[in-house]
Amino acid sequence: MPERDLLMIPGPIDVDPPVLRALSRPPLAHTSPEFIEIFGSTITALRDVFLAPQGQPFVVAGSGTLAMEMGVANLLEPGDKALVINTGFFSERYADVCKRFGATVETLNAPLGDAPAPDAADKILSQGGYKLMTITQVDTSTGVLADVRGLAEVARKHNVLVVVDGVCATAAEEFRQDEWGVDVCITGSQKALSVPPGIAFVMAGPRAIAAFEARKTPVASYYSDWGLWKPVMQAYEQRKPAYFATPPVNLIFALQVAVQQILAEGMPARWERHRRLSNAFKSGIDALGLRQVPLSPVIAAHTMSAVYYPEGVNASVLGKIKAEGVVLAGGIAPAIRDRYFRIGHMGNANASDILAALGAIERGLAAAGARVDLGAGVAAAQRSLAQTPATV
Ligand SMILES: *Cc1c(COP(=O)(O)O)cnc(C)c1O
């Protein structure tokens, strides 16, 4: 299998060589001064990625799903009410996670490809009694981008904690944790943070920490307990050794490099680059006459695209696109699973990757017997890119 295939799925994503090289150095003792410096400085730097100057970062070995658990297990107690803003498969997963920790869960649904409006959340939260609300910033099953800012504003009004699943968004979609009043944001390493899979992140704001400290019952998950991790995170930031459970030291080496790259680009520039590439990719998809799952551009993610197959084409086209050198993902939203595919364009993706992916999609569709105007998607993307030249 050629190692040069372009991996453009919505995570794990392609990893930059300097990040990969960092991963391959021999492990260090997790209590060594050298590792403490690397981990401590990286924990501190994460506040600038989430724009959470007052946040308490938790960085532990695990996937995004563990981060989801760790985000709510410390806040929910049996009988608490939670509202889940449902934009797809991963929102529904959050409902399941909340139930597992004893919450009574209400979901605010929208038609497939749509996003619930803040007003609708306002109506439900007005009934009172809610402890927290979850929002999936980008639901990777539908490619729908939620209005985190508007939804969080409503929750604030009702004094409800806001937990954001940023697994397919953090470090690529605009996000200002402190300014927007988000209490917890969680993510994983393998999506827009551009590190291989295996690190779970939770950024907990002051209200979340206060709610945790006011708990009456112990946290039902031992590994996820903020009380066990917080002293460890604080010790690393103070450059002191500490241990609760072994950090994934090699992944932390890689994370250090990735976070340095992210902050060197700067968050607004990074959000803007993702917008530019996404707009170009989606222009290409439109020009090929393909329909997208999100019902309108304002609720479409910039980290990925979810696109319906044309008439007469099914998931076997992904093999043909792969034969052209680009790896894309099939559907996971149960109602339309076999009718659409997904493309990740986050992290280190660049304009040339966008054109390569569109070209491979055009040739793949043609090989699958679809009527394709070869080059039409690439040309539309080129025009879009030319309108917004890359900033250096
Ligand atoms: C990928 C993803 C997850 C799950 O992450 P894993 O690392 O697969 O456990 C959760 N939420 C969203 C929005 C995701 O995209």
Side-chain angles (χ1 to χ4, degrees):
M1 196 190 84
E3 285 195 22
R4 290 192 64 231
D5 278 351
L6 208 47
L7 181 62
M8 292 187 72
I9 64 174
I13 67 164
D14 188 46
V15 176
D16 207 32
V19 176
L20 280 179
R21 283 197 294 274
L23 197 64
S24 71
R25 68 179 278 192
L28 287 171
H30 56 292
T31 49
S32 63
E34 201 183 351
F35 181 72
I36 290 172
E37 177 59 36
I38 291 170
F39 198 15
S41 60
T42 303
I43 291 169
T44 301
L46 282 170
R47 290 194 187 85
D48 295 336
V49 174
F50 289 74
L51 273 69
Q54 305 183 74
Q56 172 59 57
F58 297 93
V59 182
V60 307
S63 85
T65 304
L66 176 78
M68 292 174 75
E69 268 200 35
M70 208 169 165
V72 296
N74 290 276
L75 300 175
L76 291 172
E77 296 189 70
D80 281 346
K81 273 170 57 176
L83 176 63
V84 168
I85 306 298
N86 186 2
T87 46
F89 175 91
F90 287 105
S91 313
E92 281 169 24
R93 173 172 290 186
Y94 229 154
D96 288 343
V97 174
C98 290
K99 284 178 200 158
R100 197 58 79 88
F101 291 98
T104 306
V105 177
E106 179 80 32
T107 54
L108 173 55
N109 302 312
L112 183 83
D114 208 345
D119 281 354
D122 194 15
K123 274 211 188 74
I124 298 178
L125 296 178
S126 297
Q127 296 160 10
Y130 282 91
K131 172 82 166 278
L132 68 77
M133 178 174 87
T134 71
I135 309 167
T136 311
Q137 187 169 15
V138 170
D139 197 301
T140 319
S141 68
T142 53
V144 168
L145 175 71
D147 176 7
V148 171
R149 179 188 214 152
L151 289 161
E153 195 179 322
V154 164
R156 282 273 63 76
K157 196 174 85 182
H158 295 286
N159 216 6
V160 170
L161 295 167
V162 180
V163 177
V164 171
D165 174 349
V167 179
C168 195
T170 303
E173 297 285 359
E174 181 172 2
F175 182 74
R176 304 170 186 270
Q177 180 157 345
D178 224 44
E179 197 182 312
W180 291 0
V182 170
D183 297 297
V184 173
C185 179
I186 66 95
T187 193
S189 51
Q190 78 276 26
K191 301 201 185 169
L193 281 172
S194 318
V195 174
I199 317 176
F201 302 82
V202 176
M203 185 66 78
R207 279 182 303 265
I209 296 291
F212 164 72
E213 283 167 355
R215 290 179 69 91
K216 296 187 179 63
T217 59
V219 176
S221 164
Y222 183 70
Y223 184 78
S224 292
D225 190 337
W226 289 354
L228 297 170
W229 283 111
K230 197 165 145 241
V232 176
M233 295 295 131
Q234 289 175 337
Y236 274 106
E237 283 205 83
Q238 293 157 8
R239 306 297 188 269
K240 292 181 191 141
Y243 167 76
F244 163 53
T246 309
V249 290
N250 290 60
L251 283 169
I252 300 298
F253 301 155
L255 177 68
Q256 179 190 36
V257 177
V259 167
Q260 284 167 351
Q261 289 182 345
I262 289 166
L263 293 176
E265 182 175 14
M267 299 318 296
R270 202 166 161 91
W271 304 331
E272 193 45 46
R273 175 168 60 80
H274 281 84
R275 260 183 230 123
R276 173 176 186 250
L277 296 180
S278 177
N279 289 343
F281 185 79
K282 289 172 171 69
S283 311
I285 289 299
D286 287 346
L288 291 172
L290 303 176
R291 211 157 58 81
Q292 294 174 48
V293 177
L295 297 181
S296 92
V298 288
I299 53 163
H302 304 100
T303 48
M304 61 167 290
S305 298
V307 179
Y308 286 105
Y309 298 121
E311 242 350 85
V313 171
N314 61 32
S316 67
V317 72
L318 298 179
K320 301 185 193 305
I321 295 169
K322 163 86 167 56
E324 296 290 346
V326 179
V327 180
L328 305 180
I332 49 166
I336 51 169
R337 188 188 298 275
D338 301 321
R339 292 173 42 209
Y340 78 112
F341 64 114
R342 299 174 302 142
I343 304 92
H345 34 71
M346 64 187 118
N348 301 307
N350 61 30
S352 300
D353 296 336
I354 295 296
L355 299 176
L358 283 166
I361 290 170
E362 292 178 354
R363 297 191 302 282
L365 288 171
R371 285 251 297 272
V372 195
D373 182 4
L374 286 174
V378 173
Q382 287 282 44
R383 285 192 295 273
S384 170
L385 290 165
Q387 278 167 14
T388 51
T391 45
V392 275

